[in-house]
Each structure stands twice: as structure tokens, then as C-alpha cells.
Amino acid sequence: MALISIDRERGILTAEFQGLDKLWTLKSRLEIPLAHVRGATHDPGMAREPKGVRVGGSYFPGLITAGRFRRNGERLFWDVKNPEKAVVIELADAEHYDRLVLEVENPRATVDLIEQSISRA
């Protein structure tokens, strides 16, 4: 699971990975400039779509999707075990990823936080 936080002073969205997710994703955190965040949606259905080719991380169908994937030229970063808690963060001008698909504790609150933060940026 990822903990999402916003640092408005620095203009950064941070996704901090918890517990074994650090091992599955091969990352402990991602920092994305708010200027590169286009929006966020709560999208449980995304986890049922094809993942593409795993570039780094872990994939056990039906259990966990974590790490870097490529699909139709798109670069995705996943950290999902429970699709019902999946949030999709769309990125623009991203250096590394086009979308982040992350499991969070409270998807609606996370989407609200991100949407409010980018509307003020």
C-alpha cells in the first residue's frame, strides 16, 4: 500500500511504499512534481486490465501487481493488491511514468487531496 502526501511548498507529490511493498515494487518512494500531475481517479477496474510487459518488480496474477510495466508505449508504475482501493494518477511531462496505479487506504480522500492540490498549483 502507498501513503500519498503533498508538499505544497516544494510542489511535490510523494508516494511512500509500506512494508513488503518496498520489496515488491523495488522502490521505497516516488516523488513527482505537482506540475506533472494531471489528475487522479478511483478506478478499481484498472486492476483487471492487461498489465503489459513487466520491466521491474513483481507480478502474481490475482495477488499483487507491483513495479514498472510497459503497455502500448505507456510507462506504468503499479502497487496494487486490493483492486477496490486502486487509484490511478495521470501524469504529464513525466520523466519516468505516464500513470501510477496505487493501492491506498482511502481512495476517495486520496483523489480529493490530489485534485485539490493540483487545482491550487
Side-chain angles (χ1 to χ4, degrees):
M1 185 171 306
L3 293 178
I4 305 295
S5 62
I6 304 290
D7 182 337
R8 287 187 175 93
E9 285 183 25
R10 292 179 44 223
I12 299 286
L13 176 146
T14 301
E16 185 97 27
F17 303 106
Q18 305 298 302
L20 288 175
D21 287 12
K22 292 178 187 180
L23 175 68
W24 306 127
T25 63
L26 304 175
K27 296 258 185 211
S28 60
R29 72 184 324 167
L30 292 174
E31 290 188 343
I32 308 291
L34 278 177
H36 293 181
V37 178
R38 292 191 341 202
T41 57
H42 175 212
D43 189 355
M46 178 70 176
R48 291 182 273 290
E49 292 183 17
K51 309 303 181 263
V53 177
R54 181 170 44 110
V55 178
S58 306
Y59 180 57
F60 301 103
L63 295 176
I64 186 168
T65 306
R68 297 176 294 139
F69 290 76
R70 285 193 180 263
R71 183 180 74 185
N72 300 328
E74 191 175 37
R75 300 160 301 169
L76 300 116
F77 186 90
W78 286 78
D79 183 25
V80 176
K81 293 184 290 293
N82 179 354
E84 295 306 313
K85 294 187 173 194
V87 169
V88 179
I89 303 170
E90 297 282 340
L91 304 175
D93 302 323
E95 296 173 23
H96 301 289
Y97 306 108
D98 297 300
R99 284 197 270 178
L100 308 177
V101 185
L102 306 174
E103 177 183 336
V104 297
E105 182 64 36
N106 187 332
R108 293 192 195 284
T110 300
V111 168
D112 289 345
L113 172 69
I114 293 168
E115 290 294 323
Q116 289 173 8
S117 297
I118 63 174
S119 69
R120 293 179 186 160

